[in-house]
Short mmCIF file of all heavy atoms in Angstrom, two decimals:
data_model
loop_
_atom_site.label_atom_id
_atom_site.label_comp_id
_atom_site.label_asym_id
_atom_site.label_seq_id
_atom_site.Cartn_x
_atom_site.Cartn_y
_atom_site.Cartn_z
N ILE A 45 7.63 14.84 -31.49
CA ILE A 45 6.74 15.78 -32.18
C ILE A 45 5.68 15.01 -32.95
O ILE A 45 4.49 15.31 -32.90
CB ILE A 45 7.55 16.69 -33.14
CG1 ILE A 45 8.46 17.62 -32.34
CG2 ILE A 45 6.61 17.50 -34.03
CD1 ILE A 45 9.39 18.45 -33.20
N GLN A 46 6.14 13.97 -33.66
CA GLN A 46 5.18 13.16 -34.43
C GLN A 46 4.13 12.55 -33.52
O GLN A 46 2.94 12.52 -33.85
CB GLN A 46 5.92 12.03 -35.16
CG GLN A 46 6.91 12.51 -36.21
CD GLN A 46 6.26 12.71 -37.57
OE1 GLN A 46 5.05 12.77 -37.67
NE2 GLN A 46 7.08 12.83 -38.60
N VAL A 47 4.57 12.05 -32.36
CA VAL A 47 3.62 11.44 -31.43
C VAL A 47 2.62 12.49 -30.93
O VAL A 47 1.42 12.23 -30.85
CB VAL A 47 4.36 10.79 -30.24
CG1 VAL A 47 3.39 10.39 -29.15
CG2 VAL A 47 5.15 9.58 -30.72
N LEU A 48 3.12 13.68 -30.61
CA LEU A 48 2.23 14.73 -30.14
C LEU A 48 1.20 15.10 -31.21
O LEU A 48 0.02 15.28 -30.94
CB LEU A 48 3.03 15.97 -29.73
CG LEU A 48 3.83 15.83 -28.44
CD1 LEU A 48 4.77 17.01 -28.27
CD2 LEU A 48 2.91 15.71 -27.24
N ILE A 49 1.68 15.18 -32.45
CA ILE A 49 0.77 15.52 -33.55
C ILE A 49 -0.31 14.45 -33.68
O ILE A 49 -1.50 14.75 -33.77
CB ILE A 49 1.56 15.69 -34.88
CG1 ILE A 49 2.37 16.98 -34.83
CG2 ILE A 49 0.61 15.68 -36.06
CD1 ILE A 49 3.26 17.19 -36.04
N LEU A 50 0.12 13.19 -33.66
CA LEU A 50 -0.87 12.11 -33.77
C LEU A 50 -1.81 12.11 -32.56
O LEU A 50 -2.99 11.80 -32.69
CB LEU A 50 -0.15 10.75 -33.92
CG LEU A 50 -1.05 9.55 -34.12
CD1 LEU A 50 -1.93 9.73 -35.36
CD2 LEU A 50 -0.24 8.27 -34.25
N SER A 51 -1.29 12.47 -31.39
CA SER A 51 -2.13 12.54 -30.20
C SER A 51 -3.26 13.54 -30.39
O SER A 51 -4.42 13.25 -30.10
CB SER A 51 -1.32 12.98 -28.98
OG SER A 51 -0.35 12.04 -28.69
N LEU A 52 -2.91 14.73 -30.89
CA LEU A 52 -3.93 15.75 -31.10
C LEU A 52 -4.95 15.28 -32.13
O LEU A 52 -6.16 15.44 -31.97
CB LEU A 52 -3.28 17.05 -31.59
CG LEU A 52 -2.35 17.75 -30.62
CD1 LEU A 52 -1.80 19.02 -31.24
CD2 LEU A 52 -3.11 18.09 -29.34
N PHE A 53 -4.43 14.68 -33.20
CA PHE A 53 -5.28 14.16 -34.26
C PHE A 53 -6.28 13.14 -33.68
O PHE A 53 -7.49 13.22 -33.89
CB PHE A 53 -4.36 13.51 -35.30
CG PHE A 53 -5.00 13.20 -36.63
CD1 PHE A 53 -6.25 13.70 -36.97
CD2 PHE A 53 -4.32 12.44 -37.57
CE1 PHE A 53 -6.82 13.42 -38.20
CE2 PHE A 53 -4.87 12.15 -38.80
CZ PHE A 53 -6.13 12.64 -39.11
N ALA A 54 -5.75 12.21 -32.89
CA ALA A 54 -6.59 11.14 -32.34
C ALA A 54 -7.53 11.66 -31.26
O ALA A 54 -8.67 11.21 -31.14
CB ALA A 54 -5.71 10.03 -31.78
N LEU A 55 -7.05 12.64 -30.50
CA LEU A 55 -7.87 13.20 -29.43
C LEU A 55 -9.13 13.83 -30.02
O LEU A 55 -10.25 13.61 -29.54
CB LEU A 55 -7.05 14.25 -28.68
CG LEU A 55 -7.48 14.60 -27.28
CD1 LEU A 55 -7.43 13.38 -26.40
CD2 LEU A 55 -6.56 15.68 -26.73
N GLY A 56 -8.95 14.61 -31.07
CA GLY A 56 -10.09 15.23 -31.74
C GLY A 56 -11.01 14.18 -32.32
O GLY A 56 -12.24 14.25 -32.20
N PHE A 57 -10.38 13.18 -32.95
CA PHE A 57 -11.18 12.09 -33.53
C PHE A 57 -12.03 11.42 -32.46
O PHE A 57 -13.19 11.08 -32.68
CB PHE A 57 -10.24 11.08 -34.19
CG PHE A 57 -10.89 9.76 -34.48
CD1 PHE A 57 -11.69 9.59 -35.59
CD2 PHE A 57 -10.71 8.68 -33.62
CE1 PHE A 57 -12.31 8.38 -35.84
CE2 PHE A 57 -11.33 7.47 -33.87
CZ PHE A 57 -12.12 7.33 -34.98
N ASN A 58 -11.45 11.25 -31.28
CA ASN A 58 -12.18 10.53 -30.23
C ASN A 58 -13.33 11.36 -29.64
O ASN A 58 -14.29 10.80 -29.11
CB ASN A 58 -11.24 10.07 -29.12
CG ASN A 58 -11.85 8.96 -28.29
OD1 ASN A 58 -12.57 8.11 -28.83
ND2 ASN A 58 -11.63 8.98 -26.99
N ILE A 59 -13.23 12.67 -29.72
CA ILE A 59 -14.38 13.49 -29.29
C ILE A 59 -15.57 13.16 -30.19
O ILE A 59 -16.70 13.05 -29.74
CB ILE A 59 -14.02 14.98 -29.35
CG1 ILE A 59 -13.06 15.29 -28.20
CG2 ILE A 59 -15.28 15.85 -29.25
CD1 ILE A 59 -12.60 16.72 -28.14
N LEU A 60 -15.27 12.93 -31.45
CA LEU A 60 -16.33 12.57 -32.39
C LEU A 60 -16.75 11.10 -32.20
O LEU A 60 -17.94 10.79 -32.20
CB LEU A 60 -15.80 12.79 -33.81
CG LEU A 60 -16.82 12.89 -34.93
CD1 LEU A 60 -17.85 13.95 -34.63
CD2 LEU A 60 -16.11 13.22 -36.24
N PHE A 61 -15.77 10.23 -32.06
CA PHE A 61 -16.06 8.79 -32.04
C PHE A 61 -16.43 8.29 -30.64
O PHE A 61 -17.55 7.84 -30.40
CB PHE A 61 -14.85 8.02 -32.59
CG PHE A 61 -15.02 6.54 -32.57
CD1 PHE A 61 -16.11 5.94 -33.19
CD2 PHE A 61 -14.08 5.72 -31.96
CE1 PHE A 61 -16.27 4.57 -33.19
CE2 PHE A 61 -14.23 4.35 -31.95
CZ PHE A 61 -15.32 3.77 -32.55
N GLY A 62 -15.51 8.40 -29.72
CA GLY A 62 -15.73 7.85 -28.40
C GLY A 62 -16.79 8.61 -27.61
O GLY A 62 -17.55 8.01 -26.86
N TYR A 63 -16.84 9.91 -27.80
CA TYR A 63 -17.76 10.70 -26.99
C TYR A 63 -19.11 10.93 -27.67
O TYR A 63 -20.14 10.92 -27.02
CB TYR A 63 -17.13 12.05 -26.60
CG TYR A 63 -16.09 11.88 -25.51
CD1 TYR A 63 -14.76 11.63 -25.82
CD2 TYR A 63 -16.46 11.90 -24.18
CE1 TYR A 63 -13.82 11.42 -24.83
CE2 TYR A 63 -15.53 11.70 -23.18
CZ TYR A 63 -14.21 11.46 -23.50
OH TYR A 63 -13.29 11.26 -22.52
N THR A 64 -19.10 11.15 -29.00
CA THR A 64 -20.37 11.45 -29.66
C THR A 64 -20.90 10.25 -30.44
O THR A 64 -22.05 10.26 -30.87
CB THR A 64 -20.21 12.68 -30.58
OG1 THR A 64 -19.39 13.64 -29.92
CG2 THR A 64 -21.54 13.31 -30.91
N GLY A 65 -20.06 9.23 -30.62
CA GLY A 65 -20.54 8.01 -31.25
C GLY A 65 -20.57 8.05 -32.77
O GLY A 65 -21.32 7.32 -33.40
N LEU A 66 -19.72 8.90 -33.38
CA LEU A 66 -19.69 8.97 -34.83
C LEU A 66 -18.30 8.56 -35.33
O LEU A 66 -17.31 9.21 -35.03
CB LEU A 66 -20.00 10.40 -35.30
CG LEU A 66 -21.41 10.91 -35.00
CD1 LEU A 66 -21.50 12.40 -35.24
CD2 LEU A 66 -22.44 10.16 -35.86
N LEU A 67 -18.25 7.46 -36.10
CA LEU A 67 -16.96 6.96 -36.60
C LEU A 67 -16.66 7.61 -37.95
O LEU A 67 -17.27 7.27 -38.95
CB LEU A 67 -17.03 5.44 -36.75
CG LEU A 67 -15.83 4.76 -37.41
CD1 LEU A 67 -14.54 5.07 -36.67
CD2 LEU A 67 -16.03 3.27 -37.50
N SER A 68 -15.72 8.54 -37.95
CA SER A 68 -15.37 9.22 -39.20
C SER A 68 -14.20 8.54 -39.88
O SER A 68 -13.20 8.24 -39.25
CB SER A 68 -15.02 10.68 -38.92
OG SER A 68 -14.41 11.24 -40.06
N PHE A 69 -14.34 8.34 -41.19
CA PHE A 69 -13.23 7.80 -41.98
C PHE A 69 -12.61 8.86 -42.87
O PHE A 69 -11.89 8.54 -43.80
CB PHE A 69 -13.73 6.64 -42.86
CG PHE A 69 -13.58 5.33 -42.22
CD1 PHE A 69 -14.67 4.50 -42.05
CD2 PHE A 69 -12.35 4.90 -41.77
CE1 PHE A 69 -14.54 3.27 -41.45
CE2 PHE A 69 -12.21 3.68 -41.15
CZ PHE A 69 -13.31 2.88 -40.99
N GLY A 70 -12.95 10.12 -42.58
CA GLY A 70 -12.45 11.17 -43.45
C GLY A 70 -11.65 12.22 -42.73
O GLY A 70 -11.43 13.30 -43.25
N GLN A 71 -11.17 11.91 -41.51
CA GLN A 71 -10.47 12.93 -40.74
C GLN A 71 -9.20 13.40 -41.44
O GLN A 71 -8.78 14.54 -41.24
CB GLN A 71 -10.15 12.43 -39.33
CG GLN A 71 -11.36 12.32 -38.43
CD GLN A 71 -12.22 13.57 -38.42
OE1 GLN A 71 -13.23 13.66 -39.12
NE2 GLN A 71 -11.82 14.57 -37.64
N ALA A 72 -8.61 12.53 -42.25
CA ALA A 72 -7.40 12.93 -42.97
C ALA A 72 -7.68 14.14 -43.86
O ALA A 72 -6.78 14.93 -44.14
CB ALA A 72 -6.85 11.78 -43.79
N GLY A 73 -8.91 14.28 -44.31
CA GLY A 73 -9.26 15.43 -45.14
C GLY A 73 -9.00 16.73 -44.40
O GLY A 73 -8.37 17.65 -44.93
N PHE A 74 -9.44 16.79 -43.15
CA PHE A 74 -9.26 18.03 -42.38
C PHE A 74 -7.81 18.19 -41.94
O PHE A 74 -7.28 19.30 -41.86
CB PHE A 74 -10.22 18.04 -41.19
CG PHE A 74 -11.64 17.84 -41.63
CD1 PHE A 74 -12.35 16.71 -41.26
CD2 PHE A 74 -12.24 18.74 -42.49
CE1 PHE A 74 -13.64 16.51 -41.71
CE2 PHE A 74 -13.53 18.55 -42.95
CZ PHE A 74 -14.23 17.42 -42.55
N TYR A 75 -7.19 17.07 -41.65
CA TYR A 75 -5.75 17.05 -41.35
C TYR A 75 -4.99 17.69 -42.52
O TYR A 75 -4.13 18.54 -42.33
CB TYR A 75 -5.36 15.59 -41.16
CG TYR A 75 -3.95 15.28 -40.74
CD1 TYR A 75 -3.48 15.67 -39.49
CD2 TYR A 75 -3.12 14.54 -41.56
CE1 TYR A 75 -2.20 15.32 -39.09
CE2 TYR A 75 -1.83 14.18 -41.16
CZ TYR A 75 -1.39 14.58 -39.93
OH TYR A 75 -0.12 14.24 -39.53
N ALA A 76 -5.40 17.29 -43.73
CA ALA A 76 -4.73 17.81 -44.93
C ALA A 76 -5.05 19.28 -45.13
O ALA A 76 -4.16 20.05 -45.51
CB ALA A 76 -5.15 17.00 -46.15
N VAL A 77 -6.30 19.68 -44.87
CA VAL A 77 -6.63 21.11 -45.03
C VAL A 77 -5.75 21.93 -44.08
O VAL A 77 -5.21 22.97 -44.46
CB VAL A 77 -8.13 21.37 -44.75
CG1 VAL A 77 -8.41 22.86 -44.70
CG2 VAL A 77 -8.98 20.72 -45.83
N GLY A 78 -5.59 21.44 -42.84
CA GLY A 78 -4.72 22.13 -41.89
C GLY A 78 -3.30 22.20 -42.40
O GLY A 78 -2.65 23.25 -42.34
N ALA A 79 -2.80 21.07 -42.93
CA ALA A 79 -1.41 21.01 -43.39
C ALA A 79 -1.19 21.90 -44.61
O ALA A 79 -0.28 22.72 -44.64
CB ALA A 79 -1.02 19.56 -43.70
N TYR A 80 -2.06 21.73 -45.63
CA TYR A 80 -1.89 22.54 -46.84
C TYR A 80 -2.14 24.02 -46.54
O TYR A 80 -1.43 24.89 -47.05
CB TYR A 80 -2.86 22.07 -47.93
CG TYR A 80 -2.31 20.93 -48.76
CD1 TYR A 80 -2.64 19.60 -48.48
CD2 TYR A 80 -1.45 21.18 -49.82
CE1 TYR A 80 -2.14 18.56 -49.23
CE2 TYR A 80 -0.94 20.14 -50.58
CZ TYR A 80 -1.28 18.84 -50.29
OH TYR A 80 -0.77 17.81 -51.03
N GLY A 81 -3.14 24.30 -45.71
CA GLY A 81 -3.45 25.69 -45.38
C GLY A 81 -2.26 26.35 -44.70
O GLY A 81 -1.82 27.43 -45.10
N CYS A 82 -1.71 25.67 -43.70
CA CYS A 82 -0.56 26.22 -42.99
C CYS A 82 0.63 26.38 -43.93
O CYS A 82 1.31 27.40 -43.92
CB CYS A 82 -0.20 25.32 -41.81
SG CYS A 82 1.30 25.79 -40.98
N ALA A 83 0.85 25.38 -44.78
CA ALA A 83 1.98 25.43 -45.71
C ALA A 83 1.85 26.64 -46.63
O ALA A 83 2.81 27.38 -46.85
CB ALA A 83 2.05 24.14 -46.53
N LYS A 84 0.65 26.82 -47.16
CA LYS A 84 0.41 27.95 -48.07
C LYS A 84 0.70 29.28 -47.36
O LYS A 84 1.31 30.18 -47.92
CB LYS A 84 -1.03 27.92 -48.56
CG LYS A 84 -1.23 27.05 -49.80
CD LYS A 84 -0.62 27.77 -50.99
CE LYS A 84 -0.78 26.94 -52.26
NZ LYS A 84 0.02 27.49 -53.36
N LEU A 85 0.22 29.39 -46.12
CA LEU A 85 0.41 30.63 -45.38
C LEU A 85 1.88 30.86 -45.06
O LEU A 85 2.38 31.97 -45.14
CB LEU A 85 -0.42 30.60 -44.08
CG LEU A 85 -1.94 30.65 -44.30
CD1 LEU A 85 -2.67 30.45 -42.98
CD2 LEU A 85 -2.34 31.98 -44.92
N LEU A 86 2.59 29.76 -44.73
CA LEU A 86 4.02 29.90 -44.41
C LEU A 86 4.80 30.32 -45.66
O LEU A 86 5.77 31.08 -45.57
CB LEU A 86 4.58 28.59 -43.87
CG LEU A 86 4.20 28.24 -42.43
CD1 LEU A 86 4.85 26.93 -42.02
CD2 LEU A 86 4.62 29.34 -41.47
N LEU A 87 4.37 29.82 -46.82
CA LEU A 87 5.05 30.22 -48.06
C LEU A 87 4.74 31.68 -48.38
O LEU A 87 5.53 32.36 -49.03
CB LEU A 87 4.61 29.32 -49.21
CG LEU A 87 5.13 27.88 -49.15
CD1 LEU A 87 4.44 26.99 -50.17
CD2 LEU A 87 6.64 27.85 -49.39
N LEU A 88 3.58 32.15 -47.91
CA LEU A 88 3.15 33.52 -48.15
C LEU A 88 3.89 34.49 -47.23
O LEU A 88 4.56 35.41 -47.69
CB LEU A 88 1.65 33.60 -47.90
CG LEU A 88 0.84 34.56 -48.75
CD1 LEU A 88 0.86 34.15 -50.21
CD2 LEU A 88 -0.60 34.60 -48.23
#
Side-chain angles (χ1 to χ4, degrees):
Chain A
I45 293 174
Q46 296 272 15
V47 169
L48 288 170
I49 288 176
L50 183 58
S51 297
L52 295 180
F53 194 11
L55 202 60
F57 164 80
N58 199 36
I59 288 179
L60 198 54
F61 178 55
Y63 285 90
T64 320
L66 294 168
L67 173 58
S68 167
F69 268 123
Q71 287 311 97
F74 305 115
Y75 185 65
V77 171
Y80 274 97
C82 173
K84 273 287 180 191
L85 292 173
L86 285 181
L87 289 169
L88 213 65

